[in-house]
Amino acid sequence: MNKALLLMLVLLSAGLRAQQVPDWYDAGHERRIDSLLDIMTLEEKVGQMTLFTSDWDVTGPTIREGYQDDIKTGRLGAIFNAHTAEYNRNLQRIAVEETRLGIPLLFGYDVIHGYRTIFPIPLGEAASWNAEAAEESARIAARESAAAGLHWTFAPMVDVARDPRWGRVMEGAGEDVYLGKVMAAARVKGFQGDDLTDPLTILACAKHFAAYGAAQAGRDYHTVDISERVLRDIYLPPFKAALDAGVATFMTSFNELDGVPASGNEHLLTEILRDQWGFMGFVVTDYTSINEMVPHGIATDSAAAGELAIEAGVDMDMQGAIFYEYLAEQVRSGAVAQSQIDEAVRRILRMKYALGLFDDPYRYSDTTRESENILTEANREAARRIARESFVLLKNEDNVLPLAKDGGRILITGPLADSQEDMLGAWHGDGRAADVITLLTGMREAAGDKAQVQYVSDMTEAIRAARRADVIVVAAGETWEMSGEAASRADIGLPGDQGAMIRELAAIGKPVVVVLFNGRPLAIPGVDSTATAILEAWYPGTEAGHALADVLFGDHNPGGRLPMTFPRSVGQVPIFYSMKNTGRPMDPNNKYTSKYLDESNDPLYPFGYGLGYTTFEYGAPSLESATITRNDTARVSVELTNTGSVAGTTVVQLYVQDVIGSVTRPVRELKAFERVELAAGESRTVTLELTEEDLSFYRRDMTYGSEPGAFRIYVGADATTSNAISLTLE
């Protein structure tokens, strides 16, 4: 029987669709897994379903002592927070050489935006609107982490997030479904490459499944309450994009969904992920999330929580030791079916085979490869290039930027001007502060002896120095631990007295350039009204200072665009561009419409917004045909002209409004975009395509598809563009 036929039979027996078969699937491995399952004890099988942290690093509330003894007894199949080639080789040796069956360990780590070479936080990378850059940074992170003995990253986070109070917005691609899908697929491809047997690739993990980005009040670990329609239209598509890109693993979320915590939610983990989507990899919980179903109030004790998890479709328990403690006895008592255990173990072993660990368990433990791949000059150069693409110019009054290198006195001040650690951001893997170039260092290196760059950290002295300066650069924002997991903020303004400092400096009358470092949109109307220029830099990573100097001195024209809306005040939150209308849309002349008494409905900076050192003019959009059928592709064209005096990059953004639907539809949704670079004075016709899929949604009867009728197509520089044309779908 040939391999293709065997594969088809396997798929048919599992009830899967052929189009869901990922590149890493090998039917030949299934026979080897069958043979292994036949000789494994129940305890050894449960061991494969158990993931414990080592004592190398800490990313959660608990550490389990004696994990090395668990390896020796075959009761532990995977370890996280263990890295470096030599350290992991020693642990792997125990598993392979001191256990009955010699099944290799799987090593995982939070390689979120780099391993040693740290790239911009994922929200910053999303601001580049450059999928190739996101894929490249993930590819470099994979090479570095794989060389350091790792097989698996707990990334990408693909949660759609619309509440900037939630600290974990820094890990994802922001508020938009389409941009989230594009970035999710790119990062999966970057981590996993084209062939998982390549020892410089690692398994990716789509997290957190699902709807964690909708946590109420923006508070981490909190309840989620959304409809099935919102789940499928908004929160699931980036996960499906990750699956279609071949993602090997999924991670459950901490939140509940429709009253059921995700780690015990059969609707999510089996009905949607397995039965409807055909996922063939394995599902791991987040840190102790099975245990947490007890305080959630859905399980009487830990054993009951474990039963809920295995019945729902969880394959691996991260750190909680619930499967470790209770699962074997639950199988013996008949509470859990042996077949469920075998299927979970199959999925885990499938990925170990895909990585080639059974052929060579030490293939990721090469110290020479480690030294050759980590923090190389090429990696640093990529980090510098991708960082500067992530910066978003929010304001540039009087064209104060770019700064001149020749002559002049530049004062640099602010709490983050020379902070190496803060440039790394949260979840910075094995990134080290000592390797980081700060804003101050980068500016001094770039200026050389051509400009006088003075640094003052004391506020009183900064005021004195500002009077002698030609321009003031203020490094402001959040320290790195103020965003990320367990870092929700009720007040998303500038922390401390930074706002007052900027006002005092601006009152002197000199140009004030604010460089923002932060992991979320900030509510900064006061900064916007007082600063001369504002550059959003996020947490740029290892090459922060060099990348910032490239942009501030004009060697690179900023082209980033916001992946999340910036509110004017926290009272507007959640605020996002793809809202739905109401029966009483805002009318400034009518009190009884949807608006605030004390605040505008409009954001401070809209989704997709960003400036540069040049200007672009958009012509009116045109269509090849104003009417299409379901099988047609609509081609929308716009004439784009660089009307400034220097070359620059913009992002042409296409939004769709379904005018009338069987259910209410968003006022507009991003459906296509293209980064375009034009020389000064250059014009180009940009054409973007729409298919029926782009016009589809979950209709009133919860079937998925399009509806005939009228659509408005908007093409412009951000989500507020009024540049539109009508399209009819027959």
Side-chain angles (χ1 to χ4, degrees), residues 469-492:
D470 296 310
V471 64
I472 305 157
V473 177
V474 183
E478 304 173 308
T479 55
W480 74 267
E481 72 275 9
M482 294 182 74
S483 69
E485 185 174 356
S488 299
R489 292 183 62 202
D491 179 354
I492 55 172

Side-chain angles (χ1 to χ4, degrees), residues 192-265:
Q192 296 190 175
D194 298 323
D195 183 0
L196 280 178
T197 63
D198 179 348
L200 290 177
T201 61
I202 57 177
L203 305 178
C205 183
K207 68 181 189 184
H208 306 84
F209 197 62
Y212 194 24
Q216 288 180 357
R219 201 171 79 223
D220 217 349
Y221 318 118
H222 200 16
T223 297
V224 167
D225 187 10
I226 58 175
S227 68
E228 183 77 5
R229 185 183 312 284
V230 169
L231 173 70
R232 290 184 178 269
D233 272 342
I234 306 300
Y235 293 97
L236 291 187
F239 287 98
K240 183 57 163 57
L243 186 147
D244 290 342
V247 73
T249 66
F250 270 66
M251 181 185 290
T252 64
S253 54
F254 287 118
N255 57 276
E256 68 170 60
L257 192 67
D258 195 23
V260 182
S263 292
N265 197 308

Side-chain angles (χ1 to χ4, degrees), residues 347-385:
R347 294 163 181 159
I348 294 164
L349 295 177
R350 184 178 284 159
M351 300 320 308
K352 293 185 177 184
Y353 274 107
L355 289 167
L357 295 179
F358 280 94
D359 297 324
D360 179 5
Y362 303 113
R363 63 203 314 266
Y364 283 73
S365 303
D366 186 325
T367 55
T368 300
R369 186 187 299 141
E370 185 175 31
S371 64
E372 291 173 348
N373 281 278
I374 290 180
L375 202 67
T376 65
E377 285 304 311
N379 291 357
R380 295 193 73 128
E381 176 54 37
R384 178 176 183 167
R385 171 170 38 84

